[in-house]
Amino acid sequence: MSEMVETVLGDLEESKCCQINDEGDVSALNLGMIAAYYYIQYTTIELIASSVTAKTKTRGIMEILSAASEFSTLPIRYGEEKNLQVMARNLTHKLPDSAQFHDANTKALILLQCHFSRKSLSTDLRADQRMIVGESISLIQAIVDVISSNGWLKPALATMELSQMIVQGLWNKDHVLMQIPHFTKEIIDRCEGYEGDEPIESVFDILTLEDGVRNDLLRLPDEKMADVAVFCNNYPNIDVDFNVQDADDVVAGDPVQMIVTLEREVDEDEMDEDEINQMGLVAAPLFPKEKREG
């Protein structure tokens, strides 16, 4: 038993999750606390810390995410290697040169890209994809914490963008209106071709349309139109304000303190109790778990 404990502690120390002093006392390090908070494997947090850099972009974060140890137990069923090879030919981003189709983490990367492209999958692959997508958010949050510990802004923003992609099942370059339930490329084309006073560029623009114009552009049955209305009405409208403390005394290169205020516009007088309780719940039909804002 003591040998097993020493081996485990040695692995944790090597991965910079803890440190052991000469007296044998063990104390947690930053990586260890992050891994414990998000319930992720120490090998995953070690991979994240050794892979992410100040220049890592969204594609790099996606590859780091898919390489997590949490996905190494994904099954590779009989015949799936050939299916994965075929799927890989049409991916938005080419697989790394080191990718092997018998590797579960390669499968995770392929299924993640299929999620963003909303590709049809077999029942088994769909189940695997749901597991990957559902487990990704806690891993994404751990990646953000590791990046933030290094003070890197751009990879942090790229990681948060990837989180939004995972929740909505869209690429970051897809049209913003595609996150609305039942919207298709045909509907987007009609919205882009609309020749009204103002162009339709955001979810809020859908709300401001006249009923007749909206119905003509969307051409959806009543039950689907109701889903669109719920999504658009719950879409957060947030104002951001900030105030720099002691702004007159700020010198270039010095750290500053800021107070950031977020204010959400809500008309509770026109909302029933159920709508108030549902506030903050993200409308994400392609995400397998309940997701709240934030």
Side-chain angles (χ1 to χ4, degrees):
M1 178 65 75
S2 61
E3 183 179 349
M4 181 185 298
V5 172
E6 289 179 6
T7 300
V8 171
L9 288 176
D11 290 341
L12 292 175
E13 185 178 30
E14 186 176 350
S15 63
K16 299 181 181 179
C17 288
C18 72
Q19 65 180 6
I20 306 173
N21 63 21
D22 295 337
E23 287 73 35
D25 295 328
V26 181
S27 58
L29 297 178
N30 184 53
L31 294 182
M33 289 186 283
I34 294 173
Y37 185 82
Y38 294 110
Y39 296 97
I40 65 176
Q41 298 185 35
Y42 78 91
T43 49
T44 297
I45 202 70
E46 182 182 18
L47 169 73
I48 294 170
S50 63
S51 301
V52 72
T53 70
K55 297 182 179 181
T56 304
K57 298 181 180 180
T58 303
R59 179 177 178 179
I61 298 294
M62 182 171 58
E63 292 178 359
I64 294 171
L65 171 65
S66 64
S69 299
E70 282 72 10
F71 301 142
S72 61
T73 57
L74 279 172
I76 303 294
R77 303 176 186 86
Y78 179 76
E80 274 191 353
E81 287 185 43
K82 289 185 177 180
N83 291 338
L84 293 173
Q85 288 178 359
V86 173
M87 293 162 63
R89 295 171 188 164
N90 299 310
L91 294 178
T92 300
H93 293 304
K94 183 181 177 181
L95 294 177
D97 293 336
S98 59
Q100 300 291 330
F101 293 102
H102 62 265
D103 180 19
N105 295 102
T106 297
K107 178 179 179 178
L109 180 55
I110 292 172
L111 292 182
L112 264 181
Q113 294 204 46
C114 289
H115 174 62
F116 302 142
S117 300
R118 299 187 174 184
K119 293 182 180 292
S120 299
L121 298 173
S122 66
T123 301
D124 286 338
L125 288 178
R126 177 68 67 186
D128 293 336
Q129 186 187 65
R130 288 176 63 85
M131 187 281 282
I132 295 166
V133 171
E135 295 297 323
S136 289
I137 295 301
S138 60
L139 294 169
I140 285 285
Q141 291 169 331
I143 294 173
V144 170
D145 281 4
V146 172
I147 292 172
S148 300
S149 300
N150 289 283
W152 297 329
L153 177 60
K154 289 185 177 180
L157 294 176
T159 308
M160 294 176 187
E161 187 174 57
L162 179 61
S163 177
Q164 295 174 332
M165 291 163 55
I166 289 171
V167 172
Q168 293 296 344
L170 289 170
W171 289 101
N172 52 357
K173 294 182 180 180
D174 286 333
H175 199 289
V176 66
L177 296 180
M178 280 297 294
Q179 63 188 310
I180 301 178
H182 313 302
F183 267 50
T184 62
K185 186 179 184 303
E186 290 72 23
I187 293 178
I188 301 295
D189 289 341
R190 289 197 292 270
C191 290
E192 289 182 330
Y194 174 65
E195 298 180 352
D197 295 334
E198 298 290 338
I200 303 174
E201 298 176 338
S202 72
V203 173
F204 301 113
D205 294 332
I206 298 295
L207 287 173
T208 59
L209 292 172
E210 296 290 338
D211 291 345
V213 174
R214 187 188 303 113
N215 291 337
D216 181 60
L217 291 174
L218 273 55
R219 303 174 191 175
L220 294 172
D222 291 343
E223 62 272 15
K224 291 186 177 181
M225 192 68 81
D227 292 338
V228 172
V230 170
F231 178 91
C232 293
N233 287 325
N234 290 335
Y235 198 76
N237 185 9
I238 299 175
D239 292 326
V240 181
D241 191 20
F242 68 92
N243 180 37
V244 179
Q245 299 294 287
D246 301 321
D248 295 336
D249 300 327
V250 173
V251 178
D254 285 350
V256 299
Q257 288 188 342
M258 297 175 57
I259 297 177
V260 180
T261 304
L262 304 179
E263 185 175 354
R264 178 170 182 169
E265 182 179 330
V266 177
D267 191 354
E268 295 188 7
D269 294 336
E270 297 185 5
M271 300 174 65
D272 57 33
E273 185 175 349
D274 289 339
E275 290 176 326
I276 293 176
N277 292 334
Q278 289 293 312
M279 187 182 301
L281 188 64
V282 177
L286 298 180
F287 190 72
K289 298 181 179 180
E290 182 177 277
K291 180 72 171 66
R292 303 200 73 84
E293 296 172 5

